[in-house]
């Protein structure tokens, strides 16, 4: 009897040692000569996969995603390093709800012997888009209802475009809490968002399953995803709420960090620096004002963070600029204060008395007001200038693009001169035409002649987004800047009729020595109200094609000033222009997406180099 019991106890251990569930056998389906297919390998990028290496060492990898009929082929090379990182061949650009055909070529090595495999075929079937809708009426498709390719010239047919949209508030998850100790802040600004990549046929080829990234029951792990940039290593950085992150396009986490405890409320901008550091647009967790009130600041602090998450430097804009300049604040359309769209406030503006009342009532937070603790600056982009170790910011609520040095001193201000105090007047740029002659403007440079004026015209930006340096065309003296001039409060006033408003993509040339600025290109004025984007949007130079990329993210979303309501739904539009061209080479419109935010070309080869 004892012998029998001992056998029962020993036999299971013996079986496990010989091989079984943890042994050498594999039974995954293998289509080719290496390993099995792992779909959505990190759980965040459903239209990606890995063809696992099967135990072989892989090199010289080339991948082709066979297009649908009349579709866009995707071809890219994979570095040996990435093959080791992912344990096989990374596959990107699969069509959703489709049996995809993939061709791969590679060299496999085992036991000192190498074999070259050419055009091996794999089949991968994908599910549909699983992004969650926001619940608003304007979003009739996920992530959009339809796309129209209005124009596509052959030089741009290989483009991929990353799109980051913010369709609207989602009651079940975001926007249900506020910062209140100290008072102020913008934590409630954590609505639904999405990011996806389309090809030039309008087909979705990638998206990020953001809902799996968020923890909607944790205030430190939720928020609008914003500030997407593709880094030199091909991976994507962005931020949301109280975090900033970096992931590759297969969904592999490189880092996911909470903001340093001294700062809150990331949004809009995360810029990469040549030294591997990051510039983030955040806010201060606690500011002691001159009136001895402790408040959280709002969208007015820039921090530099090193690769380990340490804060290297900070730019406290409420100490560098004038948080009480109210020239633009008072004429903003309160129905379209960036993403805080409130149709009941359309056509309304603020008075000096309104601003004073805010202070007496302790009204703080993400509102258009003056002073620390209110959204007086609304910085929506940061860019680093390596020529003199400075930063360039876009302040929407000041209608100003400002360059600030490492010493926290203003270098120049690209803005209408109206409302700036004597302290800042020496830094205000003066407009000139192409012959270098001064351009005459009225009302303290707030009303300038049109660009197409025979005498040489000009206009400043108004409630603009994304002011970025064109590095390849700039030097230590001359800087070329792209910006999206949204156009609300143009001329430091509200238009009498909504139909009069227009937006522009614009390029400026700044002479930093002489403190002058020349407008060298614009687009959008001729499109009028159909292209007018009251909020969001982007304009950026693209070195690879010597082009200007533009995303008019809320085109068509106009307002009825008389009746105080929005008219028309946003129809985001991608346009890309050859340098200096008056008309776009690419024109793509989205329908049923809700509100757009930003978009940009995506470099496939950089992602897998």
């Amino acid at each position: 009897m004892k012998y029998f019991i001992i056998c029962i106890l020993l036999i299971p251990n013996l079986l496990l040692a010989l091989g079984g569930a943890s042994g050498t056998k594999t039974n995954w389906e293998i289509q080719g000569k290496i390993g099995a297919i792992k779909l959505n390998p990190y759980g965040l990028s459903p239209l990606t996969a890995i063809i696992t290496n099967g135990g072989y060492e892989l090199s010289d990898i080339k991948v082709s995603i066979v297009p649908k009929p009349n579709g866009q082929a995707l071809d890219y090379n994979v570095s040996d390093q990435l093959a080791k990182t992912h344990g096989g061949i990374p596959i990107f650009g699969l069509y959703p709800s489709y049996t995809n055909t993939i061709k791969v070529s590679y060299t496999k090595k085992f036991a000192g012997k190498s074999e070259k495999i050419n055009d091996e075929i794999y089949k991968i079937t994908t599910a549909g888009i699983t992004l969650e809708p926001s619940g608003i009426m304007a979003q009739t498709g996920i992530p959009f209802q339809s796309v129209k390719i209005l124009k596509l010239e052959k030089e741009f047919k290989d483009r991929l475009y990353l799109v980051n949209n913010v369709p609207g508030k989602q009651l079940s998850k975001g926007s249900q809490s506020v910062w209140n100790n100290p008072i102020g802040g913008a934590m409630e600004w954590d609505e639904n968002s999405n990011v996806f990549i389309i090809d030039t046929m309008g087909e979705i080829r990638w998206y990020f399953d953001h809902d799996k990234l968020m923890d909607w029951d944790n205030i430190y792990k939720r928020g609008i995803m914003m500030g997407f940039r593709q880094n030199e290593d091909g991976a994507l950085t962005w931020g949301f709420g109280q975090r900033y992150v970096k992931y590759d396009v297969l969904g592999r986490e490189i880092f996911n960090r909470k903001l340093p405890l001294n700062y809150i409320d990331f949004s809009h901008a995360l810029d990469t620096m040549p030294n591997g550091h990051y510039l983030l647009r955040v806010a201060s967790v606690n500011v002691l004002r001159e009136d001895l009130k402790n408040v959280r600041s709002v969208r007015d602090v820039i921090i530099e963070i090193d690769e380990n998450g340490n804060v290297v430097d900070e730019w406290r804009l409420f100490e560098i600029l004038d948080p009480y300049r109210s020239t633009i604040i008072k004429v903003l359309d309160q129905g379209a204060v960036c993403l805080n769209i409130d149709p009941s406030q359309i056509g309304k503006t603020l008075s000096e008395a309104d601003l004073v009342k805010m202070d007496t009532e302790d009204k703080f937070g993400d509102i258009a007001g003056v002073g620390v603790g209110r959204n007086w600056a609304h910085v929506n982009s940061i860019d680093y200038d390596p020529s003199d170790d400075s930063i360039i910011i876009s302040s929407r609520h000041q209608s100003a693009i400002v360059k600030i040095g490492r010493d926290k001193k203003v270098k120049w201000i690209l803005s209408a001169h109206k409302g700036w105090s004597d302290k800042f007047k020496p830094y205000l740029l003066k407009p000139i035409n192409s012959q270098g002659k001064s351009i005459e403007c009225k009302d303290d440079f707030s009303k300038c002649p049109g660009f197409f004026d025979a005498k040489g015209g000009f206009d400043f930006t108004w409630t603009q987004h994304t002011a970025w340096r064109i590095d390849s065309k700039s030097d230590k003296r001359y800087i070329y800047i792209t910006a999206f001039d949204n156009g609300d409060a143009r001329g430091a006033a509200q238009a009498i009729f909504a139909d009069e408003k227009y937006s522009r993509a614009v390029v400026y040339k700044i002479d930093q020595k002489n403190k002058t600025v020349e407008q060298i290109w614009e687009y959008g004025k001729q499109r009028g109200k159909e292209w007018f984007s009251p909020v969001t949007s982007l304009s950026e130079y693209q070195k690879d094609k010597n082009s200007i990329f533009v995303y008019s993210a809320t085109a068509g979303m106009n307002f009825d000033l008389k009746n105080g309501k929005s008219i028309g739904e946003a129809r985001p539009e991608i346009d890309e222009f050859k340098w200096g061209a008056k008309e776009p080479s690419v024109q793509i419109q989205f329908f049923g997406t809700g509100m757009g935010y930003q978009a940009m070309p995506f470099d496939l080869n950089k992602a897998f180099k």
Side-chain angles (χ1 to χ4, degrees), residues 409-528:
K409 303 294 184 183
V410 173
K411 289 181 175 289
W412 49 254
I413 301 172
L414 176 56
S415 171
H417 297 195
K418 191 172 186 178
W420 290 96
S421 66
D422 291 343
K423 175 183 176 181
F424 298 100
K425 285 182 179 178
Y427 307 107
L428 293 166
L429 300 176
K430 293 180 173 59
I432 59 173
N433 61 21
S434 58
Q435 287 75 46
K437 294 182 180 180
S438 297
I439 293 176
E440 298 299 323
C441 299
K442 299 178 181 179
D443 194 19
D444 213 359
F445 287 89
S446 65
K447 296 175 178 61
C448 297
F451 181 61
F452 295 110
D453 191 307
K455 297 179 181 178
F458 181 89
D459 199 2
F460 289 101
T461 58
W462 302 93
T463 60
Q464 77 290 323
H465 282 73
T466 61
W468 285 323
R469 179 181 188 263
I470 303 179
D471 291 338
S472 60
K473 295 183 183 294
S474 302
D475 56 34
K476 204 168 182 65
R477 176 173 176 178
Y478 296 101
I479 287 184
Y480 289 81
I481 295 285
T482 59
F484 190 92
D485 172 15
N486 293 81
D488 185 48
R490 187 176 300 282
Q494 276 296 318
I496 297 175
F497 302 104
D499 288 358
E500 296 176 350
K501 293 185 178 184
Y502 60 88
S503 298
R504 304 181 304 147
V506 59
V507 178
Y508 296 106
K509 180 183 178 181
I510 296 172
D511 183 338
Q512 299 185 105
K513 179 181 178 181
N514 293 330
K515 295 290 190 296
T516 60
V517 57
E518 176 191 352
Q519 180 177 296
I520 65 171
W521 180 84
E522 72 168 358
Y523 177 84
K525 184 186 298 183
Q526 66 272 48
R527 297 283 299 275

Side-chain angles (χ1 to χ4, degrees), residues 28-258:
W28 303 107
E29 181 184 62
I30 297 175
Q31 297 185 37
K33 295 186 177 182
I34 44 176
I37 291 172
K38 184 183 291 185
L39 194 61
N40 192 10
Y42 299 98
L44 293 169
S45 299
L47 300 183
T48 66
I50 293 171
I51 302 173
T52 57
N53 59 30
Y56 298 97
E57 183 179 344
L58 304 181
S59 62
D60 191 26
I61 301 168
K62 297 181 180 179
V63 178
S64 295
I65 310 299
V66 178
K68 290 180 177 180
N70 301 315
Q72 180 177 335
L74 300 184
D75 304 291
Y76 58 93
N77 299 327
V78 178
S79 70
D80 296 352
Q81 178 184 349
L82 281 181
K84 290 182 174 66
T85 298
H86 294 297
I89 301 175
I91 304 300
F92 168 93
L94 301 173
Y95 292 103
S97 298
Y98 190 72
T99 299
N100 294 264
T101 300
I102 299 96
K103 289 182 181 179
V104 294
S105 299
Y106 56 91
T107 297
K108 66 173 187 171
K109 184 179 179 181
F110 175 69
K113 296 181 180 180
S114 296
E115 180 183 2
K116 177 66 176 177
I117 308 298
N118 290 310
D119 293 335
E120 189 170 71
I121 300 296
Y122 287 81
K123 298 283 188 177
I124 301 178
T125 300
T126 54
I129 303 295
T130 57
L131 290 173
E132 189 169 314
S134 65
I136 66 169
M137 291 178 64
Q139 190 182 31
T140 56
I142 308 300
F144 50 80
Q145 184 181 52
S146 62
V147 176
K148 281 188 179 180
I149 312 300
L150 300 177
K151 194 173 184 181
L152 178 63
E153 295 182 0
K154 62 181 181 180
E155 298 96 322
F156 295 87
K157 286 186 176 181
D158 62 342
R159 273 292 196 218
L160 292 172
Y161 294 113
L162 182 148
V163 181
N164 174 207
N165 285 339
V166 284
K169 291 185 179 181
Q170 192 172 23
L171 180 60
S172 62
K173 293 181 178 177
S175 304
Q176 297 189 81
S177 57
V178 298
W179 293 120
N180 63 1
N181 184 22
I183 55 179
M187 195 200 72
E188 71 272 21
W189 210 64
D190 64 349
E191 302 159 12
N192 192 28
S193 55
N194 56 54
V195 61
F196 55 92
I197 292 174
I198 64 163
D199 63 21
T200 54
M201 298 294 103
E203 295 275 4
I204 293 175
R205 308 300 294 268
W206 177 89
Y207 71 95
F208 194 86
D209 194 346
H210 77 281
D211 215 41
K212 288 186 172 58
L213 182 68
M214 305 292 166
D215 179 354
W216 292 102
D217 293 321
N218 185 336
I219 61 174
Y220 292 101
K221 292 185 178 181
R222 70 187 207 195
I224 295 178
M225 299 191 301
M226 306 179 84
F228 280 86
R229 308 297 286 170
Q230 186 177 17
N231 293 223
E232 284 305 309
D233 61 5
L236 297 170
T237 49
W238 72 94
F240 58 95
Q242 314 310 316
R243 308 190 77 79
Y244 67 105
V245 304
K246 184 175 184 179
Y247 287 80
D248 69 18
V249 290
L250 267 71
R252 180 178 66 93
E253 179 183 309
I254 300 170
F255 63 73
N256 183 328
R257 298 170 179 159
K258 183 180 173 183

Side-chain angles (χ1 to χ4, degrees), residues 279-510:
L279 292 167
L280 281 70
R281 211 295 330 271
V282 292
S284 177
V285 75
N286 193 342
V287 181
L288 180 61
R289 292 165 36 117
E290 291 182 0
D291 57 8
L292 301 183
K293 290 183 173 72
N294 288 81
V295 299
R296 298 181 186 273
S297 75
V298 180
R299 309 188 191 195
D300 56 7
V301 176
I302 311 300
I303 56 175
E304 178 183 349
I305 294 184
D306 70 15
E307 60 274 14
N308 297 315
N310 299 305
V311 178
V312 176
D313 207 348
E314 67 174 356
W315 287 258
R316 292 156 64 94
L317 298 179
F318 48 82
E319 295 175 348
I320 299 170
L321 300 174
D322 180 6
Y324 288 94
R325 179 178 179 255
S326 60
T327 304
I328 305 303
I329 293 289
K330 287 186 291 190
V331 294
L332 287 176
D333 186 335
Q334 293 298 299
V337 180
C338 202
L339 295 184
N340 301 322
I341 304 299
D342 184 355
S344 69
Q345 300 299 309
I346 290 169
K348 295 181 181 179
T349 56
L350 295 175
S351 67
E352 191 66 38
D354 292 328
L355 296 178
V356 172
K357 189 177 180 182
M358 286 181 184
D359 257 354
T360 61
E361 294 181 343
D362 280 348
K363 192 173 183 181
F364 295 101
D366 193 15
I367 57 175
V370 294
V372 188
R374 303 185 185 92
N375 198 355
W376 66 273
H378 196 109
V379 174
N380 53 40
S381 75
I382 324 161
D383 199 15
Y384 180 71
D385 185 346
S387 72
D388 59 2
D389 191 28
S390 61
I391 64 171
I392 299 168
I393 66 162
S394 164
S395 171
R396 181 186 192 265
H397 289 181
Q398 296 296 317
S399 286
I401 299 167
V402 186
K403 186 174 186 181
I404 305 170
R406 177 71 68 177
D407 59 3
K408 314 305 179 291
K409 303 294 184 183
V410 173
K411 289 181 175 289
W412 49 254
I413 301 172
L414 176 56
S415 171
H417 297 195
K418 191 172 186 178
W420 290 96
S421 66
D422 291 343
K423 175 183 176 181
F424 298 100
K425 285 182 179 178
Y427 307 107
L428 293 166
L429 300 176
K430 293 180 173 59
I432 59 173
N433 61 21
S434 58
Q435 287 75 46
K437 294 182 180 180
S438 297
I439 293 176
E440 298 299 323
C441 299
K442 299 178 181 179
D443 194 19
D444 213 359
F445 287 89
S446 65
K447 296 175 178 61
C448 297
F451 181 61
F452 295 110
D453 191 307
K455 297 179 181 178
F458 181 89
D459 199 2
F460 289 101
T461 58
W462 302 93
T463 60
Q464 77 290 323
H465 282 73
T466 61
W468 285 323
R469 179 181 188 263
I470 303 179
D471 291 338
S472 60
K473 295 183 183 294
S474 302
D475 56 34
K476 204 168 182 65
R477 176 173 176 178
Y478 296 101
I479 287 184
Y480 289 81
I481 295 285
T482 59
F484 190 92
D485 172 15
N486 293 81
D488 185 48
R490 187 176 300 282
Q494 276 296 318
I496 297 175
F497 302 104
D499 288 358
E500 296 176 350
K501 293 185 178 184
Y502 60 88
S503 298
R504 304 181 304 147
V506 59
V507 178
Y508 296 106
K509 180 183 178 181
I510 296 172

Side-chain angles (χ1 to χ4, degrees), residues 565-579:
K565 63 180 181 179
S566 59
I567 49 175
E569 295 175 357
R571 190 191 59 250
E573 180 172 318
I574 283 175
D575 299 289
E576 193 162 3
F577 302 79
K578 296 173 185 175
W579 179 258

